Amino acid sequence: MARICIEGGVPLDGQVWISGAKNAVLPILVASILGDDTSRISNVPHLQDVTTTMELLGRMGAALGMDERMQVEIDPSGMCNFEAPYDLVKTMRASILVLGPLVARYGQARVSLPGGCAIGSRPVDLHLRGLEQLGARVTVRNGNIEATADRLRGARILLDTVTVTGTENLLMAATLARGTTVIENAAQEPEVVDLADFLIAMGAQIEGAGTNTITVQGVERLAGAEYAVLPDRIETGTYLVAAAMTGGRVRCTRAEPRHLDAVLDRLAEAGGNLSSGPDWIELDMRGERPRSVNLTTAPYPAFPTDMQAQFTALNTVAEGTATITETVFENRFMHVQELRRLGADIQLKGNTAIIRGVPRLTGAPIMATDLRASASLVLAGLVAEGRTLVDRVYHIDRGYEIIEEKLGQLGARIRRVGSGVQPG
């Protein structure tokens, strides 16, 4: 099994291009099956979750193509199988997103209860309750969600808690429902807006995406569309944190600064010198050690839970003591034990981590437990003395495109190796 090997201690310096957003491309790929015609999606990142999603759509009968520029073509006209089986769903929770489109477009769906990162329960009951309000008949048995409908009908849906995938599932389902659907307490993330913009390009009538109330006027049919996925704000933030931790300078190109206000505020608080343009962001630490940063995660536009692990890593080598409180997922501090193996001083009290910065970390073999945790371990390895070996890197391949190549272009001593390499 492959591992990532890092020889730490090198300040990063240079320019890195940002890939399309993982959390936007997956629902957009799925939404293409709502159309009658072929859709062409560009700026698609080369990620394991993208491969899994395309395999899932292919098994359902969609015709798929991809060119050398990672532009994906999806023709749903041959759709004939409306099941998302466990062998695919167990690796990726986003597979639940096929539920709404299948019921709306084809009147039936059978989706295994999802798997993916073990960072919390993330129940799907909000998805199911919302579909029932739209008129679907939903049952859960033998580990599968089964849903049918003659045609969905518009409804007012109040989500008990803010859920990104729940908002996206119901948004997609509502596009072909008869009448008007209003989704209240909707997620406001840029990725939700990107999905809505793609659906609008297909012919959907949607207002309010990016606010907490989304209104959808159902239409009779959707067409295909050509669309470019937005840049990945979490990947952008990860490379900026890498610059801050190593005392270096990194410019992220093909980025979207507007989506990172909460992250950029904390990086400035840590001592980063920030500058930006329409499609780039640069952080320069000028060789200085970062300062500790307190934060609490919350739904967008507040600080994103997907950046919590990276800032936990930053605080391990920062000057001072910081607290990080996780409010979105109840089990998202699994990286703490691995960071301690590198010499980090972290105490956990409930959903809060108390982190006392130390002057240096020391390389060791460590193990990734989920996608964002794996990124934090790579960041820690960049500043640890000696060699750090990160195991289970398939987690990082789910959400970061060629991370070792991109970090290598910035000067990091990092490479992917086989399981035979030993710490040294």
Side-chain angles (χ1 to χ4, degrees):
M1 185 177 293
R3 294 189 283 180
I4 287 179
C5 177
I6 309 162
E7 301 283 348
V10 179
L12 300 186
D13 183 66
Q15 182 171 290
V16 62
W17 55 271
I18 299 302
S19 301
K22 165 191 176 288
N23 290 336
V25 70
L26 302 183
I28 286 173
L29 291 173
V30 169
S32 67
I33 67 176
L34 288 163
D36 293 343
D37 311 307
T38 298
S39 289
R40 295 173 180 84
I41 316 300
S42 58
N43 201 31
V44 176
H46 184 54
L47 304 172
Q48 184 58 47
D49 278 10
V50 169
T51 301
T52 301
T53 300
M54 292 179 64
E55 182 178 352
L56 176 58
L57 298 181
R59 286 199 197 181
M60 291 178 175
L64 303 165
M66 179 185 296
D67 63 22
E68 67 281 356
R69 295 175 295 133
M70 286 296 290
Q71 176 174 276
V72 175
E73 287 193 359
I74 305 172
D75 178 1
S77 61
M79 292 278 291
C80 57
N81 175 24
F82 310 113
E83 179 177 358
Y86 180 68
D87 65 311
L88 289 178
V89 172
K90 68 181 180 181
T91 67
M92 187 182 69
R93 287 181 182 267
S95 302
I96 190 68
L97 288 168
V98 301
L99 183 62
L102 286 177
V103 175
R105 177 72 175 82
Y106 302 100
Q108 58 181 302
R110 188 170 187 265
V111 180
S112 290
L113 289 169
C117 287
I119 59 173
S121 59
R122 295 197 277 190
V124 299
D125 58 309
L126 297 180
H127 303 236
L128 308 189
R129 195 180 311 147
L131 284 174
E132 287 176 332
Q133 289 177 265
L134 291 172
R137 299 174 290 275
V138 181
T139 59
V140 179
R141 56 188 172 193
N142 302 322
N144 295 308
I145 303 165
E146 298 179 4
T148 59
D150 298 324
R151 183 178 178 186
L152 298 178
R153 58 181 182 272
R156 181 174 294 274
I157 301 171
L158 173 61
L159 297 171
D160 291 342
T161 59
V162 177
T163 162
V164 173
T165 55
T167 299
E168 291 169 339
N169 228 337
L170 298 174
L171 172 62
M172 289 187 283
T175 59
L176 293 178
R178 180 182 289 111
T180 302
T181 298
V182 178
I183 304 172
E184 297 180 314
N185 199 29
Q188 303 176 49
E189 273 73 1
E191 295 80 10
V192 174
V193 178
D194 212 35
L195 171 62
D197 287 343
F198 174 64
L199 291 168
I200 291 169
M202 297 176 74
Q205 297 182 19
I206 301 170
E207 295 181 352
T211 74
N212 62 5
T213 302
I214 301 176
T215 302
V216 185
Q217 182 65 47
V219 297
E220 291 296 323
R221 63 177 297 274
L222 294 174
E226 295 193 8
Y227 195 79
V229 177
L230 61 73
D232 196 313
R233 62 192 171 102
I234 305 303
E235 184 191 30
T236 306
T238 300
Y239 287 116
L240 295 175
V241 170
M245 289 180 66
T246 63
R249 180 194 65 85
V250 170
R251 173 174 289 205
C252 297
T253 62
R254 291 163 49 180
E256 179 47 85
R258 296 177 303 162
H259 296 159
L260 283 157
D261 287 347
V263 171
L264 297 180
D265 286 347
R266 298 309 190 285
L267 286 169
E269 188 179 334
N273 299 283
L274 291 157
S275 55
S276 63
D279 61 354
W280 61 270
I281 311 171
E282 180 174 296
L283 183 143
D284 189 351
M285 286 300 291
R286 299 173 184 170
E288 297 295 323
R289 181 183 178 188
R291 298 189 293 267
S292 292
V293 178
N294 299 318
L295 61 90
T296 299
T297 66
Y300 189 88
F303 191 90
T305 181
D306 280 354
M307 285 299 302
Q308 177 259 105
Q310 297 89 316
F311 272 78
T312 299
L314 181 148
N315 279 325
T316 65
V317 294
E319 185 177 352
T321 298
T323 60
I324 292 182
T325 301
E326 174 61 58
T327 71
V328 179
F329 293 126
E330 71 275 15
N331 192 26
R332 206 166 200 180
F333 279 121
M334 291 187 292
H335 46 287
V336 165
Q337 181 176 345
E338 301 303 302
L339 290 171
R340 285 172 176 159
R341 288 178 51 79
L342 300 178
D345 183 352
I346 309 174
Q347 290 184 315
L348 289 179
K349 292 187 177 181
N351 64 336
T352 297
I354 303 167
I355 309 159
R356 296 174 178 85
V358 297
R360 65 185 61 84
L361 301 176
T362 304
I366 49 181
M367 183 174 64
T369 53
D370 66 68
L371 170 53
R372 304 307 172 184
S374 63
S376 75
L377 300 182
V378 170
L379 295 181
L382 294 175
V383 297
E385 292 183 349
R387 175 181 291 179
T388 299
L389 283 170
V390 183
D391 206 350
R392 292 188 179 177
V393 299
Y394 57 83
H395 284 294
I396 207 164
D397 292 336
R398 290 185 51 232
Y400 289 89
E401 186 172 27
I402 55 172
I403 190 170
E404 67 272 22
E405 292 184 29
K406 290 187 176 184
L407 287 171
Q409 292 169 1
L410 297 172
R413 294 177 296 198
I414 181 173
R415 67 188 192 279
R416 189 169 295 234
V417 298
S419 57
V421 173
Q422 300 299 316

